[in-house]
Amino acid sequence: MGQAYNGPSLRSSWLQRKSKNIEVDVRIIDDEVTIKLVQQNRFNSLLVVSKVLDELQLDLQHVAGGLIGDFYNFLLNSKICEGSSAYAIAIANKLIDVVDRQYASSQTSSNY
């Protein structure tokens, strides 16, 4: 016979979003967040992405990444800081917004 579990429920969500310049995959399990980013090889957005995670009160634990063909690929592991209420959709939308704005500004400055 199985045992009943009456503990707190496990929080989990998964979301994929895509724009012209970036693909974001966000997975949240309990207080751990895994983010996969794939972006075109026009600029490296790792610094801006780390700032976004800090703004969202996510404690960056580990980053792995590299250039594969014409794309930067990053895998970021972070923890949700105590007192923060981060949601997958908020994380994905903020990352896409910031990277798209950085891409647009780099296009504008390269035209001069």
Side-chain angles (χ1 to χ4, degrees):
M1 274 179 59
Q3 294 180 329
Y5 177 73
N6 293 326
S9 62
L10 185 66
R11 173 185 173 187
S12 87
S13 61
W14 174 48
L15 179 74
Q16 291 179 307
R17 288 283 188 258
K18 187 177 188 177
S19 77
K20 183 179 176 185
N21 306 306
I22 185 172
E23 292 179 31
V24 180
D25 182 333
V26 179
R27 297 169 193 246
I28 299 176
I29 299 175
D30 200 22
D31 67 342
E32 296 180 9
V33 181
T34 302
I35 302 167
K36 183 177 109 179
L37 294 171
V38 177
Q39 73 173 78
Q40 294 177 354
N41 178 15
R42 303 221 167 112
F43 59 88
N44 183 335
S45 65
L46 190 56
L47 180 60
V48 220
V49 167
S50 67
K51 288 180 182 179
V52 168
L53 297 182
D54 190 46
E55 287 174 16
L56 294 171
Q57 296 181 335
L58 298 174
D59 183 23
L60 189 57
Q61 303 284 308
H62 181 261
V63 177
L67 184 60
I68 300 174
D70 292 333
F71 297 92
Y72 281 114
N73 292 269
F74 298 108
L75 184 64
L76 303 102
N77 294 321
S78 59
K79 286 206 176 262
I80 299 173
C81 295
E82 194 171 322
S84 174
S85 58
Y87 294 94
I89 190 144
I91 296 168
N93 287 344
K94 180 77 172 178
L95 289 171
I96 286 173
D97 181 51
V98 168
V99 170
D100 281 349
R101 274 191 281 130
Q102 183 184 15
Y103 176 76
S105 69
S106 72
Q107 289 294 96
T108 305
S109 63
S110 68
N111 291 335
Y112 292 108

